[in-house]
Amino acid sequence: MEHCHHDHHDMHHDTMPPVGEGTIYTCPMHPQVRQAGPGHCPICGMTLEPVTVALSDKPDPELIDMTRRLWVAVILSLPLLAAVMAAHFALSLHMMLNGGTGRWIQLAVATPVVLWGAWPFFERGWKSVLNRSLNMFTLIGLGVGVAYLYSLAVTLFPDWFQAFTDGKVPEVYFEAAATITALVLLGQVLELRARSQTNSALRALFDLAPKMARLIKPDGTEADVPVSEVKAGDVLRVRPGEKIPVDGVVTEGASAVDQSMLTGESMPVEKNPGDKVTGATLNGTGSLVMRAERVGLDTMLAQITAMVAKAQRSRAPIQRMADVVSGYFVPVVVGVAVVTALAWWLWGPEPKLAYAVLNGIAVLIIACPCALGLATPVSIMAGTGRAARAGILIRDAAALETFEKVDTLVIDKTGTLTEGRPKLVSLVPMKGFNEAALLRLAAGLERGSEHPLAAAIVRGAEDKKIELPVATDFQSLTGKGVTGTIDSKKIALGNKALLRSLNVAPEELETLAQPFRNEGQTAMLLAVDHQPAGIVVVADPIKQTTPEAIKLLRQEGLSIVMLTGDNRATAQSVARKLGIDEIEADVLPARKAEVVQALQKKGRKVAMAGDGVNDAPALATAEIGIAMGNGTDIAMESAGITLIKGDLTGIVRARRLSRAIMNNIRQNLFFAFIYNSLGVPVAAGVLYPFFGILLSPIIASAAMAFSSVSVITNSLRLRSVRLD
């Protein structure tokens, strides 16, 4: 068994091996436990899970094995239990069962159940003693073992026991040992099934990937090839209605692509040559030709799946509390069971020894902390799977716990609150010009410029289907603007310094431009043949979803701080429209992390949302970083939460989800603790002197199985939690 620390760098694996001997397995409760091939955790006894998710749909061998043991245990222990129950009402049957032959028949029926059915529990219980980390299997092994060995001793040496019990042979408890085994096996089968269900979110992600791709060969012929054979640089055809095979860029054609499986957005997105497309998204009615860029384990889908798998295996800090409690709990329970047995033996009613054994076993079984062990991992597995379906990637469980406690959200303006790329928003022509003429000249001139504002003007003209003229004598004057000649007219587009240098009076245009500038928009002045012609206004528009998202984030109890490199006027105009009170303007990229630290010094718990490389230090500094997924890989790696679609409503969803998961874990821990705290005294016989109530080991084991099932059922509710 190799113990190594769980590191954060196992996201990329060179291959996705089939699950088996060569695969590394780890424990969901104790990620530091890692070994090659399947097995059980030496600390808690839970079944180890593969680090890389199984691509195959092969059934879980552990589940098959436990199910087989369960059926044998049920078939053999049910008649045994029925006979013992009936014997309480029929004296003759009671005499027969507790006679010499009856005891041997019971021994014959119960032995396969205990020695074969419960063998995994004995094995793990013994390992827990050797490793000095007592766990739930220690208690189960002790409980079943004591019941069976006591009954075996009574069957083999009845005369010896008669000396203790006034000449009567005490009852045997083979039915208790067999039934407890069957019930614990039932709990294990239900737990393994639930764990395979929580993995269904991952399986569903895997299944999204198409299996085949249509390759266009250099000679122009086409052939269907398995997606695993596609290499970066290959040219592929995607026909209408097909899934896009890998991540890449459209080279020909246009179509609307349904990206809902990745981003959660219902509207298809238009894709034209030059646009990026993502593997496993669904092509609409157009035909596309694309060049493959990221294939195999580099595709967005493979990375998402690896990220979700890693998050499912991570541990929330709240779980450490459960671990510490479990560590003290088992030795205390064994002590309580021994004290209970001694108390009944010394002061209990006759038959003293029988009562001592029964109540000691009941304490061991009911106190079994398996529900405690399941409380957090099952919630986290179900919750992170649900998050992936909503377009939210969670790096680890600690991020969920932290995000629930955050009270301040710092948002980078450009690309997060706004679209992140400038857009032509207004044209104001002077006398003698109309909007179309103004735009034709401005776009014709800007076609030669590299500036992002120029691209916005050219795009605006193309959207309006304006044919662009050719500009000659093009000149770009840094800090001023551009000049050139179109249709033998001298054209200038820029700021007032440019117009002044060309002896054009800019005052009239400046007056037109001022209201737009007050709104934080960029207004450029256009002159034709040394005469003012009008203004062209470009702005970075606020995303449609932003105002509603800000309102919902406020309702979630978050204070919003807007961070931007823009000047204060622009920042204030955006903040005014969105109702944001706190602004940090003129912030250089390097200072973003300092702003976060300043807020933290005031005692605030800060989440930072951003999308660029320059946001990475601030994302890492904040209690939790939220990367907007249309951003860069480095931002995603330094963030605790990544939104695949860079949209603030995703933050609202992530906040609701973190709250739902943490509440779910608290409910689970409450179920587990309250149940054990109430169960142990009752099993020890505290109520017997007052009400004559005793808890038989069979009822105790049924209750124990029920507690695990209630925790699992509660956790699985997360798979359908409403986030909108």
Side-chain angles (χ1 to χ4, degrees):
M1 175 70 63
E2 171 202 349
H3 290 251
C4 69
H5 286 290
H6 183 56
D7 68 333
H8 278 296
H9 302 288
D10 59 353
M11 184 159 152
H12 292 283
H13 301 277
D14 296 329
T15 55
M16 277 247 182
V19 171
E21 288 304 316
T23 312
I24 297 295
Y25 281 70
T26 183
C27 169
M29 296 271 294
H30 303 96
Q32 70 272 26
V33 173
R34 295 163 83 95
Q35 71 170 38
H40 300 107
C41 175
I43 303 169
C44 65
M46 277 176 88
T47 307
L48 298 180
E49 296 191 336
V51 169
T52 41
V53 192
L55 274 166
S56 68
D57 279 332
K58 283 191 196 128
D60 177 2
E62 172 96 4
L63 181 56
I64 293 169
D65 178 52
M66 285 292 183
T67 311
R68 194 179 296 131
R69 287 176 202 267
L70 171 65
W71 280 114
V72 171
V74 167
I75 290 162
L76 292 175
S77 54
L78 265 184
L80 192 57
L81 181 64
V84 173
M85 292 291 183
H88 288 300
F89 306 104
L91 190 62
S92 56
L93 184 60
H94 188 270
M95 299 284 286
M96 194 194 88
L97 275 175
N98 286 301
T101 316
R103 287 198 294 271
W104 283 99
I105 291 169
Q106 288 191 59
L107 170 65
V109 175
T111 298
V113 178
V114 173
L115 294 189
W116 180 71
W119 186 250
F121 309 145
F122 292 135
E123 207 176 20
R124 295 183 213 179
W126 178 241
K127 268 191 190 160
S128 76
V129 175
L130 293 181
N131 289 314
R132 298 207 188 104
S133 57
L134 304 183
N135 56 44
M136 65 189 223
F137 294 105
T138 324
L139 298 181
I140 295 168
L142 267 174
V144 175
V146 169
Y148 179 76
L149 291 173
Y150 167 77
S151 304
L152 180 64
V154 172
T155 307
L156 294 175
F157 313 110
D159 303 345
W160 187 75
F161 280 89
Q162 278 174 311
F164 277 101
T165 53
D166 305 337
K168 273 199 328 210
V169 177
E171 289 186 17
V172 287
Y173 297 109
F174 287 119
E175 93 287 351
T179 311
I180 291 167
T181 302
L183 284 163
V184 175
L185 282 166
L186 174 67
Q188 287 288 298
V189 166
L190 289 170
E191 181 194 323
L192 287 165
R193 277 217 177 130
R195 272 163 58 182
S196 68
Q197 276 188 312
T198 55
N199 267 332
S200 64
L202 274 182
R203 251 307 117 73
L205 279 174
F206 269 135
D207 292 343
L208 289 170
K211 307 292 178 276
M212 303 294 284
R214 187 139 185 101
L215 180 68
I216 303 177
K217 295 178 183 172
D219 61 4
T221 58
E222 297 184 11
D224 286 325
V225 297
V227 167
S228 54
E229 290 176 16
V230 174
K231 297 185 293 296
D234 282 352
V235 180
L236 309 171
R237 182 178 302 285
V238 186
R239 288 165 292 199
E242 284 185 337
K243 281 183 177 174
I244 288 163
V246 294
D247 299 5
V249 173
V250 176
T251 54
E252 281 175 46
S255 183
V257 173
D258 177 357
Q259 302 189 140
S260 57
M261 53 68 70
L262 268 186
T263 61
E265 62 181 325
S266 51
M267 292 299 291
V269 179
E270 281 294 330
K271 298 288 180 185
N272 295 301
D275 288 341
K276 288 192 180 308
V277 284
T278 310
T281 53
L282 189 63
N283 185 23
T285 51
S287 178
L288 297 174
V289 174
M290 63 175 283
R291 186 177 65 253
E293 284 192 338
R294 298 203 292 191
V295 299
L297 290 171
D298 291 330
T299 62
M300 179 87 150
L301 185 70
Q303 289 186 5
I304 288 170
T305 314
M307 212 165 162
V308 174
K310 200 164 98 185
Q312 289 195 339
R313 293 193 312 275
S314 66
R315 315 176 66 215
I318 196 169
Q319 195 172 327
R320 292 190 195 116
M321 178 180 79
D323 284 358
V324 169
V325 170
S326 291
Y328 290 111
F329 191 69
V330 178
V332 168
V333 168
V334 174
V336 171
V338 171
V339 170
T340 301
L342 284 172
W344 280 89
W345 197 7
L346 295 172
W347 300 297
E350 288 296 345
K352 290 185 176 187
L353 186 60
Y355 274 127
V357 169
L358 268 185
N359 292 316
I361 293 167
V363 168
L364 288 172
I365 298 296
I366 196 145
C368 185
C370 43
L372 200 59
L374 293 169
T376 51
V378 183
S379 286
I380 285 161
M381 288 173 83
T384 44
R386 172 70 185 94
R389 293 209 315 275
I392 305 160
L393 293 185
I394 291 151
R395 191 173 64 193
D396 52 30
L400 280 170
E401 192 166 333
T402 310
F403 193 35
E404 190 208 24
K405 297 179 185 140
V406 161
D407 54 24
T408 303
L409 178 63
V410 175
I411 305 179
D412 188 43
K413 178 182 85 75
T414 309
T416 307
L417 293 173
T418 62
E419 297 277 356
R421 62 180 204 170
K423 202 171 169 188
L424 177 71
V425 287
S426 290
L427 295 157
V428 184
M430 301 280 285
K431 267 206 178 87
F433 291 93
N434 61 24
E435 285 189 15
L438 204 63
L439 183 54
R440 177 177 172 272
L441 294 172
L445 185 60
E446 287 285 24
R447 194 158 60 164
S449 170
E450 298 293 315
H451 201 281
L453 295 180
I457 295 170
V458 173
R459 243 193 338 269
E462 284 168 354
D463 289 346
K464 289 191 163 67
K465 305 281 188 288
I466 291 175
E467 267 197 39
L468 300 187
V470 178
T472 52
D473 309 334
F474 177 80
Q475 253 188 322
S476 176
L477 307 165
T478 309
K480 290 182 179 177
V482 289
T483 60
T485 306
I486 293 177
D487 303 339
S488 59
K489 293 187 178 108
K490 292 248 184 291
I491 314 292
L493 180 67
N495 56 17
K496 60 183 177 188
L498 175 71
L499 267 59
R500 285 220 170 97
S501 69
L502 299 170
N503 296 324
V504 180
E507 285 76 19
E508 232 179 319
L509 293 178
E510 279 288 297
T511 314
L512 286 178
Q514 203 50 49
F516 294 103
R517 288 183 183 151
N518 293 345
E519 286 289 306
Q521 299 173 345
T522 305
M524 290 170 274
L525 319 179
L526 184 77
V528 176
D529 282 341
H530 303 290
Q531 293 300 316
I535 60 169
V536 178
V537 184
V538 172
D540 181 5
I542 292 171
K543 284 183 187 169
Q544 284 180 332
T545 51
T546 299
E548 177 67 8
I550 295 280
K551 194 175 87 190
L552 292 171
L553 287 166
R554 280 237 173 73
Q555 286 170 10
E556 289 288 322
L558 292 171
S559 321
I560 314 282
V561 179
M562 186 175 89
L563 200 61
T564 176
D566 287 348
N567 60 42
R568 189 154 275 280
T570 304
Q572 275 174 332
S573 90
V574 172
R576 223 180 11 256
K577 282 181 195 151
L578 296 173
I580 295 173
D581 306 324
E582 292 184 74
I583 312 167
E584 292 283 344
D586 298 311
V587 178
L588 296 170
R591 260 202 59 232
K592 286 182 179 178
E594 286 171 34
V595 171
V596 171
Q597 283 165 339
L599 287 164
Q600 287 169 327
K601 281 195 184 113
K602 291 180 190 163
R604 289 162 81 163
K605 296 256 185 301
V606 182
M608 159 83 191
D611 66 344
V613 174
N614 58 29
D615 294 329
L619 291 172
T621 307
E623 265 82 2
I624 184 130
I626 302 169
M628 309 310 258
N630 46 7
T632 56
D633 288 352
I634 184 163
M636 288 163 81
E637 275 173 33
S638 43
I641 293 175
T642 299
L643 306 175
I644 298 174
K645 179 173 183 248
D647 186 331
L648 282 186
T649 48
I651 301 182
V652 181
R653 285 192 198 137
R655 172 77 165 193
R656 285 178 182 164
L657 188 76
S658 71
R659 192 175 286 165
I661 292 174
M662 294 314 298
N663 284 342
N664 195 276
I665 289 173
R666 285 188 203 102
Q667 290 157 6
N668 286 350
L669 288 171
F670 174 77
F671 282 148
F673 277 125
I674 196 84
Y675 160 87
N676 283 339
S677 317
L678 294 175
V680 171
V682 176
V686 168
L687 300 179
Y688 186 74
F690 311 104
F691 306 105
I693 293 175
L694 273 180
L695 204 58
S696 85
I698 292 172
I699 302 291
S701 56
M704 182 201 80
F706 173 74
S707 110
S708 295
V709 171
S710 61
V711 161
I712 290 169
T713 314
N714 188 45
S715 301
L716 292 180
R717 286 188 311 121
L718 286 171
R719 296 189 332 181
S720 53
V721 69
R722 288 285 306 273
L723 299 178
D724 290 326

